[in-house]
Amino acid sequence: MSSDRAKRHSHDTDGPSPADPRIGADQWRRRASNLAIAAGIIGYLSGFIPAMADTNFDTAFLNHLAVRGISCAFATLALLAGIIITRPTSKLPWIMLLILIASFTLRPLTMHTGHIMLWNGWLIFMMLALQGGAAVAALAAVIRLRKTDSITDTRLEVAIILIAYTAVVIPFVAVPGWMAYDLLPLALGLGVVAPAGYVFITGLVARLIFIDILRGRAFRLLMAGWLLMIGGDVIVHNVIELSGWAIGAAAFDVYPLSSFLWVAACLAPSAEDISRPATEARGDWSAIRSFAIVTAAALPLVVGIFADDASMVEEMIVATLGIVILVLLIIRARIAVAAYAESEKSLIELSRTDPLTRLLNRRGLINHAMTETRPIGVAYIDIDGFKLLNDVHGHDYGDRLLIEVGQRLDSIAKPVVATARIGGDEFATLFANTSKGAVDQTRRAIENAFKAEFLMCDRPVRVTASTGLATADYSGHADDAPPAPTRHELLELLRKADIAQYYAKSSGGDCSRYYTEAMHVERARQERIIDALKVVGNDDLFYLDYQAIVDLGGGEIVSAEALARLHSPDLDNVSPDDFVPLAEKHGYINALGDWVFHSVLTSVELAVDTLPGNFRISVNVSPLQLGSDHLVHAALSAAIDKPEAAARIRIEVTESAFVDDDSLARLTKLKKAGYSIAIDDFGSEYASLQYLARLDVDTLKLDRSFTSLITTELRTRKIVQHIIDLASEMNIIVIAEGIETAAQHETLASMGCHFGQGFLWDRPARSLDRILAKYRGGPSPWRAGTRMAQPTPPVQNPANTIGATSMIRRHPSRSGPT
């Protein structure tokens, strides 16, 4: 059996990794277990040799017992070695089996030495008592370890099987055994002890089989040994051996095979599972339970047909046992039907309620709403920041918070008529929309539910929620007779409230929004944008526009900025303001960033031989991209595979990327690999000067919010002047974004700003070649000869030259038109 197939058929192969040293131990244990099975088969088949060599039953049977004795003696030694080597956690079942297997050698030994009738038959009685006691003790020990009582109640099934087996044992085993010998020890042993032992063994085996623990190889081998011994020994004593058929004793003497199966179970890697509590039980109507009960119920009838020599008393006993079995079957059926009905009731209840908060779930809320005859509305509530609380404090903390929130929402009085938990941290309330103020009343009640702090682990916690509200449309119907809502209408109402909740969450949370049709239109548009993001790079929906960047002193074009664009027939033009946040929220930002990076890299590679020496290509990177190693790996690979093109790339990030130390470390790697670094939208977010000291940046891009006020506000001019002066002292290039007027241009140039971009010179359009053609045309005609009084300082570091910039930005309008 291959390892893959073994994994499918036994959990013995499940467990440690290949590096685990236990793998070697498990392998030799599996091999030893297989060897024990082979030894059992050989011992069983060897028993046929004496029977086939001599047709005389007495001599053949005597020689056959010798084979059994030798086989069981070897099995005893093998099991003892297995217990010593494997050292099972619970040794009692294996010790009892060791005693049982050893007792199988006593009969052959005493018969061959002539001591079988020692002590006037009491030796046989003691052997039978020893075998029965050891067998019952071994099974009882397994049942105790498995703790089957806590899994399922099988008392009725076991009782039915015990009674049925008793009906078989009495006429076929007990009475013949009692009547066969005059000696009291033999009569007691063969007529009472042996039959009683088999009855108890059968009941205990049935108890174990009814529990669904047959998944381990060790347990299967253990049960196989018991079932062989029960079936084989009964048949050999009552059908074959007593008939005098010489080969019959060998054919049905399964002691050697059963013994070695138990040895194999002890050696199997899953032997420890036998000592662990069971976790699952077979269903009341499982195939094994049903087959066992039906077979047991039919046994008294079979006995009545085949027990021709049975006395009237035996027949009456068997008939009585059959009646008892019938009564037990009726009781069992009634219990099963009642349990099934209770289970159905519980399932219906579970299907309508949330198991954690005991509130209604989505289905329960819909079912409740369908019974309402009043106009209704739905409030959809989502806890703000719940994932963070759950991650920081643990799931138990989160569960308790959900229960507390559910209790508060459920305590809201009219107009709320029902509360449900419909998701992880999402709730919904159904309210009666019977007045004009019902929506506002519901909204205020939900807000009040979150005003008071929640006491969690003896500490007050402030929790907020985002709420969306929607009401059913009853226009066209009489106010006094609204129609009963359909399931579809209720699902639609929930969907609308969910959309409104989304907008409340997008607004920063801790607020409420009422659904409008414009929300639906916008959400549908967002879904189409997300569909486009799913195939970014595999279609023509996305493209790059380029916008020139010019020297504020001479007016010549020095670089360009590439802007990501989305256009489709059903969406028209989509601003990066719309698709970039969606890409970040839904996990497509890396794919979008890869497409932009490689698109720019490819364009530059095609034009690298014709690019001017002072051109560099910058790729604007989202903070989410920088938060993983994905971008770093791609950029470092590009630096190795396409060094000339990669040398023109500048990594451009916003200030928020520097908040994360890991992101800062990744930028440092990129800097060391030869990429230059630019801070985009400088001054619009954190503007911490420590970032300039911690990372050797090449370029600062002034946010357009400064540019728009540079000519009208003195304070803004002073701030910008200090930034430019600081950057010049640190040999950092400054680019002003969003220049739209000549006055802005003149002012920034006079302040020493190096470069700028905006509508004043160029509007975004496709093709990098367009920018390069303008570059080759020299200084802008309308700026020729009008250099500013304060010239642009010379660039001392070639790495600080400016290049085309691929912009994936959350607010592209800050750096020019989109």
Side-chain angles (χ1 to χ4, degrees), residues 353-381:
T353 59
D354 172 54
L356 176 64
T357 61
R358 309 310 302 172
L359 298 173
L360 296 173
N361 58 17
R362 181 185 294 269
R363 176 183 293 181
L365 185 70
I366 291 174
N367 290 341
H368 185 92
M370 292 175 68
T371 64
E372 280 292 329
T373 58
R374 297 170 292 180
I376 59 173
V378 170
Y380 202 105
I381 305 137

mmCIF file of all heavy atoms in Angstrom, residues 353-381:
data_model
loop_
_atom_site.group_PDB
_atom_site.id
_atom_site.type_symbol
_atom_site.label_atom_id
_atom_site.label_comp_id
_atom_site.label_asym_id
_atom_site.label_seq_id
_atom_site.Cartn_x
_atom_site.Cartn_y
_atom_site.Cartn_z
ATOM 1 N N THR A 353 -32.138 30.118 14.960
ATOM 2 C CA THR A 353 -31.529 30.909 16.020
ATOM 3 C C THR A 353 -30.006 30.852 15.923
ATOM 4 O O THR A 353 -29.433 29.918 15.363
ATOM 5 C CB THR A 353 -31.961 30.403 17.411
ATOM 6 O OG1 THR A 353 -31.579 29.021 17.543
ATOM 7 C CG2 THR A 353 -33.452 30.532 17.597
ATOM 8 N N ASP A 354 -29.381 31.860 16.492
ATOM 9 C CA ASP A 354 -27.927 31.913 16.554
ATOM 10 C C ASP A 354 -27.462 31.195 17.813
ATOM 11 O O ASP A 354 -27.908 31.536 18.914
ATOM 12 C CB ASP A 354 -27.468 33.375 16.579
ATOM 13 C CG ASP A 354 -25.993 33.499 16.838
ATOM 14 O OD1 ASP A 354 -25.211 32.878 16.095
ATOM 15 O OD2 ASP A 354 -25.614 34.195 17.803
ATOM 16 N N PRO A 355 -26.594 30.204 17.709
ATOM 17 C CA PRO A 355 -26.220 29.408 18.884
ATOM 18 C C PRO A 355 -25.448 30.200 19.933
ATOM 19 O O PRO A 355 -25.458 29.820 21.103
ATOM 20 C CB PRO A 355 -25.347 28.289 18.285
ATOM 21 C CG PRO A 355 -24.861 28.811 16.974
ATOM 22 C CD PRO A 355 -25.941 29.704 16.476
ATOM 23 N N LEU A 356 -24.766 31.273 19.549
ATOM 24 C CA LEU A 356 -23.980 32.032 20.523
ATOM 25 C C LEU A 356 -24.848 32.992 21.325
ATOM 26 O O LEU A 356 -24.841 32.966 22.561
ATOM 27 C CB LEU A 356 -22.864 32.795 19.800
ATOM 28 C CG LEU A 356 -22.009 33.707 20.689
ATOM 29 C CD1 LEU A 356 -21.234 32.874 21.711
ATOM 30 C CD2 LEU A 356 -21.060 34.549 19.845
ATOM 31 N N THR A 357 -25.595 33.843 20.650
ATOM 32 C CA THR A 357 -26.356 34.894 21.337
ATOM 33 C C THR A 357 -27.782 34.471 21.662
ATOM 34 O O THR A 357 -28.468 35.166 22.401
ATOM 35 C CB THR A 357 -26.418 36.152 20.452
ATOM 36 O OG1 THR A 357 -27.094 35.826 19.218
ATOM 37 C CG2 THR A 357 -25.008 36.649 20.129
ATOM 38 N N ARG A 358 -28.212 33.342 21.091
ATOM 39 C CA ARG A 358 -29.589 32.853 21.250
ATOM 40 C C ARG A 358 -30.609 33.795 20.631
ATOM 41 O O ARG A 358 -31.820 33.690 20.905
ATOM 42 C CB ARG A 358 -29.943 32.608 22.729
ATOM 43 C CG ARG A 358 -28.955 31.748 23.489
ATOM 44 C CD ARG A 358 -28.621 30.464 22.782
ATOM 45 N NE ARG A 358 -29.801 29.659 22.526
ATOM 46 C CZ ARG A 358 -29.808 28.555 21.780
ATOM 47 N NH1 ARG A 358 -28.681 28.170 21.186
ATOM 48 N NH2 ARG A 358 -30.906 27.866 21.599
ATOM 49 N N LEU A 359 -30.152 34.718 19.809
ATOM 50 C CA LEU A 359 -31.066 35.560 19.044
ATOM 51 C C LEU A 359 -31.488 34.820 17.779
ATOM 52 O O LEU A 359 -30.988 33.729 17.474
ATOM 53 C CB LEU A 359 -30.380 36.868 18.650
ATOM 54 C CG LEU A 359 -29.904 37.784 19.779
ATOM 55 C CD1 LEU A 359 -29.106 38.937 19.202
ATOM 56 C CD2 LEU A 359 -31.072 38.305 20.584
ATOM 57 N N LEU A 360 -32.397 35.410 17.035
ATOM 58 C CA LEU A 360 -32.732 34.869 15.728
ATOM 59 C C LEU A 360 -31.532 34.982 14.797
ATOM 60 O O LEU A 360 -30.681 35.852 14.976
ATOM 61 C CB LEU A 360 -33.917 35.630 15.127
ATOM 62 C CG LEU A 360 -35.262 35.544 15.856
ATOM 63 C CD1 LEU A 360 -36.267 36.490 15.204
ATOM 64 C CD2 LEU A 360 -35.803 34.128 15.856
ATOM 65 N N ASN A 361 -31.446 34.076 13.828
ATOM 66 C CA ASN A 361 -30.460 34.256 12.766
ATOM 67 C C ASN A 361 -31.162 34.844 11.544
ATOM 68 O O ASN A 361 -32.321 35.262 11.634
ATOM 69 C CB ASN A 361 -29.749 32.941 12.438
ATOM 70 C CG ASN A 361 -30.723 31.850 12.015
ATOM 71 O OD1 ASN A 361 -31.880 32.113 11.667
ATOM 72 N ND2 ASN A 361 -30.268 30.611 12.033
ATOM 73 N N ARG A 362 -30.481 34.888 10.417
ATOM 74 C CA ARG A 362 -31.067 35.502 9.230
ATOM 75 C C ARG A 362 -32.381 34.817 8.850
ATOM 76 O O ARG A 362 -33.383 35.477 8.578
ATOM 77 C CB ARG A 362 -30.079 35.432 8.063
ATOM 78 C CG ARG A 362 -30.599 36.067 6.770
ATOM 79 C CD ARG A 362 -29.609 35.851 5.653
ATOM 80 N NE ARG A 362 -28.367 36.557 5.883
ATOM 81 C CZ ARG A 362 -28.118 37.790 5.451
ATOM 82 N NH1 ARG A 362 -29.046 38.446 4.754
ATOM 83 N NH2 ARG A 362 -26.970 38.361 5.683
ATOM 84 N N ARG A 363 -32.355 33.465 8.824
ATOM 85 C CA ARG A 363 -33.578 32.746 8.452
ATOM 86 C C ARG A 363 -34.689 33.009 9.452
ATOM 87 O O ARG A 363 -35.845 33.216 9.071
ATOM 88 C CB ARG A 363 -33.278 31.246 8.370
ATOM 89 C CG ARG A 363 -34.526 30.412 8.088
ATOM 90 C CD ARG A 363 -34.199 28.931 8.077
ATOM 91 N NE ARG A 363 -33.335 28.597 6.950
ATOM 92 C CZ ARG A 363 -32.907 27.364 6.696
ATOM 93 N NH1 ARG A 363 -33.228 26.369 7.509
ATOM 94 N NH2 ARG A 363 -32.143 27.124 5.650
ATOM 95 N N GLY A 364 -34.348 32.999 10.751
ATOM 96 C CA GLY A 364 -35.366 33.246 11.765
ATOM 97 C C GLY A 364 -35.963 34.630 11.656
ATOM 98 O O GLY A 364 -37.173 34.820 11.844
ATOM 99 N N LEU A 365 -35.106 35.625 11.329
ATOM 100 C CA LEU A 365 -35.610 36.986 11.187
ATOM 101 C C LEU A 365 -36.569 37.081 10.000
ATOM 102 O O LEU A 365 -37.622 37.738 10.089
ATOM 103 C CB LEU A 365 -34.435 37.948 11.005
ATOM 104 C CG LEU A 365 -34.808 39.441 10.957
ATOM 105 C CD1 LEU A 365 -35.273 39.908 12.328
ATOM 106 C CD2 LEU A 365 -33.622 40.273 10.485
ATOM 107 N N ILE A 366 -36.220 36.437 8.906
ATOM 108 C CA ILE A 366 -37.084 36.472 7.718
ATOM 109 C C ILE A 366 -38.411 35.783 8.012
ATOM 110 O O ILE A 366 -39.488 36.289 7.657
ATOM 111 C CB ILE A 366 -36.364 35.823 6.532
ATOM 112 C CG1 ILE A 366 -35.193 36.712 6.092
ATOM 113 C CG2 ILE A 366 -37.322 35.592 5.370
ATOM 114 C CD1 ILE A 366 -34.329 36.094 5.027
ATOM 115 N N ASN A 367 -38.342 34.621 8.666
ATOM 116 C CA ASN A 367 -39.582 33.914 9.000
ATOM 117 C C ASN A 367 -40.469 34.752 9.918
ATOM 118 O O ASN A 367 -41.699 34.773 9.771
ATOM 119 C CB ASN A 367 -39.253 32.579 9.672
ATOM 120 C CG ASN A 367 -38.650 31.580 8.702
ATOM 121 O OD1 ASN A 367 -38.786 31.724 7.485
ATOM 122 N ND2 ASN A 367 -37.974 30.575 9.219
ATOM 123 N N HIS A 368 -39.833 35.429 10.874
ATOM 124 C CA HIS A 368 -40.609 36.283 11.778
ATOM 125 C C HIS A 368 -41.222 37.454 11.013
ATOM 126 O O HIS A 368 -42.382 37.812 11.237
ATOM 127 C CB HIS A 368 -39.706 36.797 12.900
ATOM 128 C CG HIS A 368 -40.433 37.587 13.938
ATOM 129 N ND1 HIS A 368 -40.965 37.016 15.083
ATOM 130 C CD2 HIS A 368 -40.755 38.912 14.003
ATOM 131 C CE1 HIS A 368 -41.566 37.952 15.798
ATOM 132 N NE2 HIS A 368 -41.440 39.119 15.162
ATOM 133 N N ALA A 369 -40.429 38.034 10.108
ATOM 134 C CA ALA A 369 -40.927 39.187 9.356
ATOM 135 C C ALA A 369 -42.106 38.814 8.473
ATOM 136 O O ALA A 369 -43.003 39.637 8.241
ATOM 137 C CB ALA A 369 -39.802 39.771 8.508
ATOM 138 N N MET A 370 -42.112 37.573 7.976
ATOM 139 C CA MET A 370 -43.205 37.145 7.091
ATOM 140 C C MET A 370 -44.525 37.001 7.827
ATOM 141 O O MET A 370 -45.572 36.871 7.193
ATOM 142 C CB MET A 370 -42.821 35.826 6.409
ATOM 143 C CG MET A 370 -41.668 35.972 5.415
ATOM 144 S SD MET A 370 -41.123 34.406 4.703
ATOM 145 C CE MET A 370 -42.557 33.990 3.702
ATOM 146 N N THR A 371 -44.478 37.028 9.162
ATOM 147 C CA THR A 371 -45.725 36.962 9.938
ATOM 148 C C THR A 371 -46.260 38.344 10.271
ATOM 149 O O THR A 371 -47.352 38.461 10.834
ATOM 150 C CB THR A 371 -45.490 36.178 11.246
ATOM 151 O OG1 THR A 371 -44.546 36.892 12.069
ATOM 152 C CG2 THR A 371 -44.945 34.789 10.955
ATOM 153 N N GLU A 372 -45.462 39.379 9.948
ATOM 154 C CA GLU A 372 -45.883 40.742 10.288
ATOM 155 C C GLU A 372 -46.933 41.243 9.300
ATOM 156 O O GLU A 372 -46.806 41.052 8.087
ATOM 157 C CB GLU A 372 -44.682 41.687 10.260
ATOM 158 C CG GLU A 372 -43.821 41.630 11.501
ATOM 159 C CD GLU A 372 -44.530 42.188 12.717
ATOM 160 O OE1 GLU A 372 -45.370 43.106 12.560
ATOM 161 O OE2 GLU A 372 -44.244 41.706 13.833
ATOM 162 N N THR A 373 -47.937 41.898 9.842
ATOM 163 C CA THR A 373 -48.995 42.491 9.004
ATOM 164 C C THR A 373 -48.873 44.012 8.967
ATOM 165 O O THR A 373 -49.686 44.681 8.345
ATOM 166 C CB THR A 373 -50.379 42.098 9.548
ATOM 167 O OG1 THR A 373 -50.494 42.531 10.907
ATOM 168 C CG2 THR A 373 -50.574 40.589 9.470
ATOM 169 N N ARG A 374 -47.848 44.534 9.640
ATOM 170 C CA ARG A 374 -47.633 45.988 9.654
ATOM 171 C C ARG A 374 -46.520 46.350 8.681
ATOM 172 O O ARG A 374 -45.687 45.499 8.344
ATOM 173 C CB ARG A 374 -47.259 46.445 11.069
ATOM 174 C CG ARG A 374 -48.330 46.213 12.110
ATOM 175 C CD ARG A 374 -47.791 46.469 13.507
ATOM 176 N NE ARG A 374 -46.795 45.468 13.895
ATOM 177 C CZ ARG A 374 -46.168 45.458 15.080
ATOM 178 N NH1 ARG A 374 -46.428 46.404 15.957
ATOM 179 N NH2 ARG A 374 -45.287 44.512 15.350
ATOM 180 N N PRO A 375 -46.437 47.592 8.253
ATOM 181 C CA PRO A 375 -45.277 48.034 7.465
ATOM 182 C C PRO A 375 -43.996 47.830 8.289
ATOM 183 O O PRO A 375 -43.987 48.077 9.501
ATOM 184 C CB PRO A 375 -45.562 49.511 7.205
ATOM 185 C CG PRO A 375 -47.044 49.653 7.354
ATOM 186 C CD PRO A 375 -47.453 48.665 8.393
ATOM 187 N N ILE A 376 -42.945 47.406 7.653
ATOM 188 C CA ILE A 376 -41.746 47.064 8.406
ATOM 189 C C ILE A 376 -40.522 47.784 7.843
ATOM 190 O O ILE A 376 -40.532 48.289 6.720
ATOM 191 C CB ILE A 376 -41.480 45.544 8.395
ATOM 192 C CG1 ILE A 376 -41.322 45.057 6.948
ATOM 193 C CG2 ILE A 376 -42.569 44.786 9.116
ATOM 194 C CD1 ILE A 376 -40.884 43.606 6.855
ATOM 195 N N GLY A 377 -39.500 47.814 8.644
ATOM 196 C CA GLY A 377 -38.196 48.326 8.241
ATOM 197 C C GLY A 377 -37.113 47.476 8.885
ATOM 198 O O GLY A 377 -37.371 46.703 9.819
ATOM 199 N N VAL A 378 -35.900 47.616 8.381
ATOM 200 C CA VAL A 378 -34.774 46.828 8.893
ATOM 201 C C VAL A 378 -33.608 47.762 9.169
ATOM 202 O O VAL A 378 -33.318 48.666 8.372
ATOM 203 C CB VAL A 378 -34.353 45.737 7.886
ATOM 204 C CG1 VAL A 378 -33.040 45.093 8.311
ATOM 205 C CG2 VAL A 378 -35.435 44.669 7.760
ATOM 206 N N ALA A 379 -32.959 47.539 10.308
ATOM 207 C CA ALA A 379 -31.710 48.230 10.629
ATOM 208 C C ALA A 379 -30.590 47.191 10.629
ATOM 209 O O ALA A 379 -30.696 46.160 11.305
ATOM 210 C CB ALA A 379 -31.804 48.917 11.983
ATOM 211 N N TYR A 380 -29.554 47.460 9.855
ATOM 212 C CA TYR A 380 -28.408 46.543 9.728
ATOM 213 C C TYR A 380 -27.245 47.146 10.508
ATOM 214 O O TYR A 380 -26.812 48.268 10.233
ATOM 215 C CB TYR A 380 -28.034 46.396 8.256
ATOM 216 C CG TYR A 380 -27.270 45.157 7.900
ATOM 217 C CD1 TYR A 380 -27.887 44.097 7.245
ATOM 218 C CD2 TYR A 380 -25.922 45.041 8.202
ATOM 219 C CE1 TYR A 380 -27.184 42.950 6.902
ATOM 220 C CE2 TYR A 380 -25.212 43.904 7.871
ATOM 221 C CZ TYR A 380 -25.843 42.867 7.214
ATOM 222 O OH TYR A 380 -25.148 41.735 6.886
ATOM 223 N N ILE A 381 -26.728 46.428 11.513
ATOM 224 C CA ILE A 381 -25.753 46.986 12.462
ATOM 225 C C ILE A 381 -24.458 46.189 12.380
ATOM 226 O O ILE A 381 -24.469 44.952 12.471
ATOM 227 C CB ILE A 381 -26.310 46.945 13.898
ATOM 228 C CG1 ILE A 381 -27.662 47.662 13.956
ATOM 229 C CG2 ILE A 381 -25.324 47.530 14.886
ATOM 230 C CD1 ILE A 381 -28.691 46.955 14.751
#
